[in-house]
Amino acid sequence: MSDIQHWRKSSYSGDAANNCVELAQAPDAPAILLRESDEPETVIATTPAALRALTRAARAGRFDHLSR
């Protein structure tokens, strides 16, 4: 994944250097790439539709019970 030119940091990550979720567009595919800034070599690829579904579910609180 070294050919990715621009990773975008989540606005919810604040100014912390190693506490960020970052997104990028895959160079040769319609995939969205995600990584955690403290482990940048670990990258997850997903589709835009799946990422939208994940963010909608998180905003709706569907994962809140997992932290208890």
Coordinates of all heavy atoms in Angstrom, one line a residue:
M1 N 0.8 -1.2 0.0 CA 0.0 0.0 0.0 C 0.9 1.3 0.0 O 0.4 2.3 0.3 CB -0.9 0.0 1.2 CG -1.9 -1.1 1.3 SD -3.1 -1.0 0.0 CE -3.8 -2.6 0.0
S2 N 2.1 1.1 -0.4 CA 3.0 2.3 -0.3 C 2.7 3.3 -1.4 O 3.2 4.4 -1.4 CB 4.4 1.8 -0.4 OG 4.7 1.1 -1.6
D3 N 1.9 2.9 -2.5 CA 1.6 3.8 -3.6 C 0.4 4.8 -3.2 O 0.1 5.6 -4.1 CB 1.3 3.1 -4.8 CG 0.3 2.0 -4.7 OD1 -0.1 1.6 -3.5 OD2 -0.2 1.5 -5.7
I4 N -0.2 4.7 -2.0 CA -1.2 5.6 -1.6 C -0.6 7.0 -1.4 O 0.4 7.1 -0.6 CB -1.9 5.1 -0.3 CG1 -2.5 3.7 -0.5 CG2 -3.0 6.1 0.1 CD1 -3.5 3.6 -1.6
Q5 N -1.1 8.0 -2.0 CA -0.5 9.3 -1.9 C -1.0 10.1 -0.7 O -0.3 10.9 -0.1 CB -0.7 10.1 -3.2 CG 0.0 9.5 -4.4 CD 1.5 9.4 -4.2 OE1 2.2 10.4 -3.7 NE2 2.1 8.3 -4.5
H6 N -2.3 9.9 -0.4 CA -2.9 10.8 0.6 C -3.9 10.0 1.5 O -4.9 9.5 1.0 CB -3.7 11.9 -0.1 CG -4.3 12.9 0.8 ND1 -3.5 13.8 1.6 CD2 -5.6 13.2 1.1 CE1 -4.4 14.5 2.3 NE2 -5.6 14.1 2.1
W7 N -3.5 9.9 2.8 CA -4.4 9.3 3.8 C -5.1 10.5 4.5 O -4.5 11.5 4.9 CB -3.6 8.5 4.8 CG -3.1 7.2 4.3 CD1 -1.9 7.0 3.7 CD2 -3.9 6.0 4.3 NE1 -1.9 5.7 3.3 CE2 -3.0 5.0 3.7 CE3 -5.1 5.6 4.7 CZ2 -3.4 3.7 3.5 CZ3 -5.5 4.3 4.6 CH2 -4.6 3.3 3.9
R8 N -6.4 10.4 4.6 CA -7.2 11.4 5.3 C -7.5 11.0 6.7 O -8.0 9.9 7.0 CB -8.5 11.7 4.6 CG -8.3 12.4 3.3 CD -9.6 12.7 2.5 NE -10.8 12.6 3.3 CZ -12.0 12.4 2.8 NH1 -12.1 12.4 1.5 NH2 -13.0 12.3 3.6
K9 N -7.2 11.8 7.7 CA -7.4 11.5 9.1 C -8.9 11.9 9.5 O -9.4 12.9 9.1 CB -6.5 12.3 9.9 CG -6.5 12.0 11.4 CD -5.4 12.7 12.2 CE -5.9 14.1 12.6 NZ -5.0 14.7 13.6
S10 N -9.5 11.0 10.3 CA -10.8 11.3 10.8 C -10.8 12.6 11.6 O -9.9 12.8 12.4 CB -11.3 10.1 11.7 OG -12.5 10.5 12.4
S11 N -11.9 13.4 11.5 CA -12.0 14.6 12.2 C -12.2 14.3 13.7 O -12.0 15.2 14.6 CB -13.1 15.5 11.7 OG -14.3 14.8 11.8
Y12 N -12.7 13.1 14.1 CA -12.9 12.7 15.4 C -11.6 12.4 16.1 O -11.5 12.2 17.3 CB -13.9 11.6 15.5 CG -15.3 12.0 15.2 CD1 -15.8 11.7 13.9 CD2 -16.1 12.6 16.1 CE1 -17.1 12.1 13.6 CE2 -17.4 13.0 15.8 CZ -17.9 12.8 14.5 OH -19.1 13.2 14.2
S13 N -10.5 12.2 15.4 CA -9.2 11.8 16.0 C -8.5 12.9 16.7 O -7.6 12.7 17.5 CB -8.3 11.3 14.9 OG -8.9 10.1 14.3
G14 N -8.8 14.2 16.5 CA -8.2 15.3 17.1 C -6.8 15.5 16.6 O -6.4 15.1 15.5
D15 N -5.9 16.0 17.5 CA -4.5 16.3 17.1 C -3.6 15.2 17.5 O -2.4 15.3 17.3 CB -4.1 17.6 17.8 CG -4.8 18.8 17.2 OD1 -5.2 18.7 16.0 OD2 -5.1 19.8 17.9
A16 N -4.0 14.1 18.2 CA -3.1 13.1 18.6 C -2.5 12.4 17.4 O -3.2 12.0 16.4 CB -3.9 12.0 19.4
A17 N -1.2 12.2 17.4 CA -0.5 11.7 16.2 C -0.7 10.2 16.1 O -0.8 9.7 14.9 CB 1.0 11.9 16.4
N18 N -0.8 9.4 17.1 CA -1.0 8.0 17.0 C -2.3 7.5 17.6 O -2.4 6.4 18.1 CB 0.1 7.3 17.8 CG 1.5 7.4 17.0 OD1 1.5 7.5 15.8 ND2 2.5 7.3 17.8
N19 N -3.3 8.3 17.4 CA -4.7 7.9 17.9 C -5.7 8.3 16.8 O -6.7 9.0 17.0 CB -5.0 8.7 19.2 CG -6.3 8.1 19.8 OD1 -6.7 7.1 19.5 ND2 -6.9 8.9 20.7
C20 N -5.4 7.8 15.6 CA -6.2 8.3 14.4 C -6.7 7.1 13.6 O -6.0 6.1 13.4 CB -5.4 9.2 13.5 SG -4.6 10.5 14.4
V21 N -7.8 7.3 13.0 CA -8.3 6.4 11.9 C -8.1 7.2 10.6 O -8.5 8.4 10.6 CB -9.8 6.1 12.1 CG1 -10.3 5.3 10.9 CG2 -10.0 5.3 13.4
E22 N -7.5 6.6 9.6 CA -7.2 7.3 8.4 C -7.9 6.5 7.2 O -8.0 5.3 7.2 CB -5.7 7.3 8.1 CG -5.0 8.1 9.2 CD -3.5 8.1 9.1 OE1 -3.0 7.0 8.9 OE2 -2.9 9.2 9.3
L23 N -8.3 7.3 6.2 CA -9.0 6.7 5.0 C -8.2 7.1 3.8 O -7.6 8.2 3.7 CB -10.4 7.2 4.9 CG -11.4 6.9 6.0 CD1 -12.6 7.8 5.9 CD2 -11.8 5.5 5.9
A24 N -8.2 6.3 2.7 CA -7.7 6.6 1.4 C -8.4 5.9 0.4 O -9.1 4.9 0.6 CB -6.2 6.2 1.4
Q25 N -8.4 6.4 -0.8 CA -8.9 5.7 -2.0 C -7.9 4.7 -2.6 O -6.8 5.1 -2.7 CB -9.3 6.7 -3.1 CG -9.9 6.2 -4.3 CD -11.3 5.7 -4.1 OE1 -12.1 6.4 -3.5 NE2 -11.7 4.5 -4.7
A26 N -8.3 3.5 -2.9 CA -7.4 2.6 -3.5 C -7.1 3.1 -4.9 O -7.9 3.6 -5.6 CB -8.1 1.2 -3.6
P27 N -5.8 3.0 -5.3 CA -5.4 3.6 -6.5 C -6.0 2.9 -7.8 O -6.2 3.6 -8.8 CB -3.8 3.4 -6.5 CG -3.6 2.4 -5.5 CD -4.7 2.4 -4.6
D28 N -6.2 1.6 -7.8 CA -6.7 1.0 -9.0 C -8.0 0.3 -8.8 O -8.3 -0.6 -9.6 CB -5.6 0.0 -9.5 CG -4.3 0.6 -9.8 OD1 -4.3 1.8 -10.3 OD2 -3.2 0.0 -9.6
A29 N -8.8 0.6 -7.8 CA -10.0 0.0 -7.6 C -11.0 1.0 -6.9 O -10.5 1.9 -6.3 CB -9.8 -1.3 -6.7
P30 N -12.3 0.7 -6.9 CA -13.2 1.6 -6.2 C -13.3 1.3 -4.7 O -14.3 1.6 -4.1 CB -14.5 1.2 -6.9 CG -14.4 -0.2 -7.3 CD -12.9 -0.4 -7.7
A31 N -12.3 0.7 -4.1 CA -12.2 0.4 -2.7 C -11.8 1.6 -1.8 O -11.1 2.4 -2.3 CB -11.3 -0.8 -2.4
I32 N -12.3 1.6 -0.6 CA -11.9 2.5 0.4 C -10.9 1.8 1.3 O -11.2 0.7 1.8 CB -13.1 3.1 1.2 CG1 -14.1 3.7 0.3 CG2 -12.6 4.0 2.3 CD1 -13.6 5.0 -0.5
L33 N -9.8 2.4 1.7 CA -8.8 1.8 2.6 C -8.9 2.4 3.9 O -9.0 3.7 4.0 CB -7.4 1.9 2.0 CG -7.3 1.4 0.5 CD1 -5.9 1.7 0.0 CD2 -7.6 -0.1 0.5
L34 N -8.8 1.7 5.0 CA -8.8 2.2 6.3 C -7.5 1.7 7.1 O -7.1 0.5 6.8 CB -10.0 1.7 7.1 CG -11.4 2.2 6.6 CD1 -12.0 1.1 5.8 CD2 -12.2 2.5 7.8
R35 N -7.0 2.5 7.9 CA -5.9 2.1 8.8 C -5.9 2.8 10.1 O -6.5 3.9 10.2 CB -4.5 2.2 8.1 CG -4.1 3.7 7.9 CD -2.7 3.8 7.3 NE -2.3 5.2 7.2 CZ -1.2 5.5 6.6 NH1 -0.4 4.7 6.1 NH2 -0.8 6.8 6.6
E36 N -5.3 2.3 11.1 CA -5.1 2.9 12.4 C -3.7 3.6 12.3 O -2.7 2.9 11.9 CB -5.2 1.9 13.5 CG -4.9 2.4 14.8 CD -6.2 2.8 15.6 OE1 -7.2 2.3 15.2 OE2 -6.0 3.6 16.5
S37 N -3.5 4.8 12.7 CA -2.2 5.5 12.6 C -1.1 4.8 13.4 O 0.1 4.9 13.0 CB -2.4 6.9 13.0 OG -2.8 7.0 14.3
D38 N -1.4 4.1 14.5 CA -0.3 3.5 15.2 C 0.1 2.2 14.7 O 1.1 1.6 15.1 CB -0.6 3.4 16.7 CG -1.9 2.5 17.0 OD1 -2.6 2.3 16.0 OD2 -2.1 2.2 18.2
E39 N -0.6 1.7 13.7 CA -0.3 0.4 12.9 C -0.5 0.7 11.4 O -1.4 0.0 10.8 CB -1.1 -0.8 13.4 CG -0.7 -1.2 14.8 CD -1.3 -2.6 15.1 OE1 -1.3 -3.5 14.2 OE2 -1.8 -2.7 16.2
P40 N 0.2 1.6 10.8 CA -0.1 2.0 9.4 C 0.1 0.9 8.4 O -0.4 1.0 7.3 CB 0.9 3.2 9.2 CG 2.0 3.0 10.2 CD 1.4 2.3 11.4
E41 N 0.9 -0.1 8.7 CA 1.1 -1.2 7.7 C -0.1 -2.2 7.7 O -0.3 -3.0 6.7 CB 2.3 -2.0 8.0 CG 2.4 -2.7 9.4 CD 2.8 -1.7 10.5 OE1 3.3 -0.6 10.3 OE2 2.5 -2.1 11.7
T42 N -1.0 -2.1 8.6 CA -2.2 -2.9 8.6 C -3.4 -2.1 8.0 O -3.8 -1.1 8.5 CB -2.6 -3.3 10.1 OG1 -1.5 -4.0 10.7 CG2 -3.9 -4.2 10.1
V43 N -3.8 -2.6 6.8 CA -4.8 -1.8 6.0 C -6.0 -2.7 5.8 O -5.8 -3.9 5.4 CB -4.2 -1.3 4.7 CG1 -5.2 -0.6 3.9 CG2 -3.0 -0.4 5.0
I44 N -7.2 -2.2 5.9 CA -8.4 -2.9 5.6 C -9.1 -2.2 4.4 O -9.2 -1.0 4.3 CB -9.4 -2.8 6.8 CG1 -8.8 -3.5 8.0 CG2 -10.7 -3.4 6.4 CD1 -9.6 -3.2 9.3
A45 N -9.5 -3.1 3.4 CA -10.2 -2.5 2.2 C -11.6 -2.9 2.3 O -12.0 -4.0 2.8 CB -9.6 -3.2 1.0
T46 N -12.5 -1.9 2.0 CA -13.9 -2.1 2.0 C -14.5 -1.3 0.8 O -13.8 -0.6 0.1 CB -14.5 -1.6 3.3 OG1 -15.9 -2.0 3.4 CG2 -14.4 -0.1 3.5
T47 N -15.8 -1.5 0.6 CA -16.5 -0.8 -0.4 C -17.1 0.5 0.2 O -17.4 0.5 1.4 CB -17.6 -1.6 -1.1 OG1 -18.6 -1.9 -0.1 CG2 -17.1 -2.9 -1.6
P48 N -17.4 1.5 -0.7 CA -18.0 2.7 -0.1 C -19.4 2.3 0.5 O -19.7 2.9 1.6 CB -18.2 3.5 -1.4 CG -17.1 3.2 -2.2 CD -16.9 1.7 -2.1
A49 N -20.2 1.4 0.0 CA -21.5 1.1 0.5 C -21.3 0.4 1.9 O -22.1 0.7 2.8 CB -22.2 0.1 -0.4
A50 N -20.3 -0.5 2.0 CA -20.1 -1.2 3.3 C -19.6 -0.2 4.4 O -20.1 -0.2 5.5 CB -19.1 -2.3 3.2
L51 N -18.8 0.8 4.0 CA -18.3 1.8 4.9 C -19.5 2.7 5.4 O -19.6 3.0 6.6 CB -17.2 2.6 4.3 CG -16.6 3.7 5.2 CD1 -16.1 3.1 6.5 CD2 -15.5 4.5 4.5
R52 N -20.4 3.1 4.4 CA -21.6 3.9 4.8 C -22.4 3.1 5.8 O -22.9 3.7 6.8 CB -22.4 4.2 3.6 CG -21.9 5.4 2.8 CD -22.9 5.9 1.8 NE -23.2 4.9 0.8 CZ -22.5 4.7 -0.3 NH1 -21.4 5.4 -0.6 NH2 -22.9 3.7 -1.2
A53 N -22.6 1.8 5.6 CA -23.4 1.0 6.5 C -22.8 0.9 7.9 O -23.5 1.0 8.9 CB -23.6 -0.4 5.9
L54 N -21.5 0.8 7.9 CA -20.8 0.7 9.2 C -20.9 2.1 9.9 O -21.2 2.1 11.1 CB -19.3 0.4 9.0 CG -18.4 0.5 10.2 CD1 -18.8 -0.6 11.2 CD2 -17.0 0.4 9.9
T55 N -20.7 3.2 9.3 CA -20.8 4.5 10.0 C -22.2 4.8 10.4 O -22.5 5.3 11.5 CB -20.3 5.6 9.1 OG1 -20.9 5.6 7.8 CG2 -18.8 5.5 8.9
R56 N -23.2 4.4 9.6 CA -24.6 4.6 10.0 C -24.9 3.8 11.2 O -25.6 4.2 12.2 CB -25.6 4.2 8.9 CG -25.7 5.2 7.8 CD -26.7 4.8 6.8 NE -26.6 5.7 5.6 CZ -26.7 5.3 4.4 NH1 -26.9 4.0 4.1 NH2 -26.6 6.2 3.4
A57 N -24.5 2.5 11.3 CA -24.7 1.6 12.4 C -24.0 2.2 13.7 O -24.6 2.2 14.8 CB -24.2 0.2 12.1
A58 N -22.8 2.7 13.5 CA -22.1 3.3 14.7 C -22.8 4.5 15.2 O -23.0 4.7 16.4 CB -20.7 3.6 14.3
R59 N -23.3 5.4 14.3 CA -24.0 6.6 14.7 C -25.3 6.3 15.4 O -25.8 7.0 16.2 CB -24.2 7.5 13.5 CG -23.0 8.2 13.0 CD -23.3 9.0 11.8 NE -22.1 9.6 11.3 CZ -21.9 10.0 10.0 NH1 -22.9 9.8 9.1 NH2 -20.8 10.5 9.7
A60 N -25.9 5.2 15.0 CA -27.2 4.8 15.5 C -27.0 4.1 16.9 O -28.0 3.7 17.5 CB -28.0 3.8 14.6
G61 N -25.8 3.8 17.3 CA -25.5 3.2 18.6 C -25.6 1.7 18.6 O -25.6 1.1 19.6
R62 N -25.6 1.1 17.4 CA -25.7 -0.4 17.3 C -24.5 -1.2 17.9 O -24.6 -2.3 18.2 CB -25.9 -0.8 15.9 CG -27.2 -0.4 15.4 CD -27.6 -1.0 14.0 NE -28.8 -0.4 13.5 CZ -28.9 0.0 12.3 NH1 -28.0 -0.2 11.4 NH2 -30.1 0.5 11.9
F63 N -23.4 -0.5 18.1 CA -22.2 -1.1 18.7 C -21.9 -0.7 20.1 O -20.9 -1.2 20.7 CB -21.0 -0.9 17.8 CG -21.2 -1.2 16.4 CD1 -21.1 -0.2 15.4 CD2 -21.4 -2.5 16.0 CE1 -21.3 -0.6 14.1 CE2 -21.6 -2.9 14.7 CZ -21.5 -1.9 13.7
D64 N -22.8 0.1 20.7 CA -22.5 0.6 22.0 C -22.4 -0.5 23.1 O -21.7 -0.3 24.0 CB -23.6 1.6 22.4 CG -23.5 2.9 21.6 OD1 -22.5 3.1 20.9 OD2 -24.5 3.7 21.8
H65 N -23.2 -1.5 23.0 CA -23.2 -2.6 24.0 C -21.9 -3.4 23.9 O -21.6 -4.1 24.9 CB -24.4 -3.5 23.7 CG -24.3 -4.3 22.5 ND1 -24.5 -3.8 21.2 CD2 -23.9 -5.6 22.3 CE1 -24.3 -4.7 20.3 NE2 -24.0 -5.8 20.9
L66 N -21.1 -3.3 22.9 CA -19.9 -4.1 22.8 C -18.8 -3.6 23.8 O -17.9 -4.3 24.2 CB -19.3 -4.0 21.4 CG -20.2 -4.6 20.3 CD1 -19.6 -4.4 18.9 CD2 -20.4 -6.1 20.5
S67 N -18.9 -2.3 24.2 CA -17.9 -1.8 25.1 C -18.2 -2.1 26.6 O -17.4 -1.7 27.5 CB -17.7 -0.3 24.9 OG -18.9 0.4 25.2
R68 N -19.3 -2.7 26.9 CA -19.7 -3.0 28.3 C -19.2 -4.3 28.7 O -18.9 -5.2 28.1 CB -21.2 -2.9 28.4 CG -21.7 -1.5 28.2 CD -23.2 -1.5 28.4 NE -23.7 -0.2 27.8 CZ -24.9 -0.1 27.3 NH1 -25.7 -1.1 27.2 NH2 -25.2 1.1 26.9

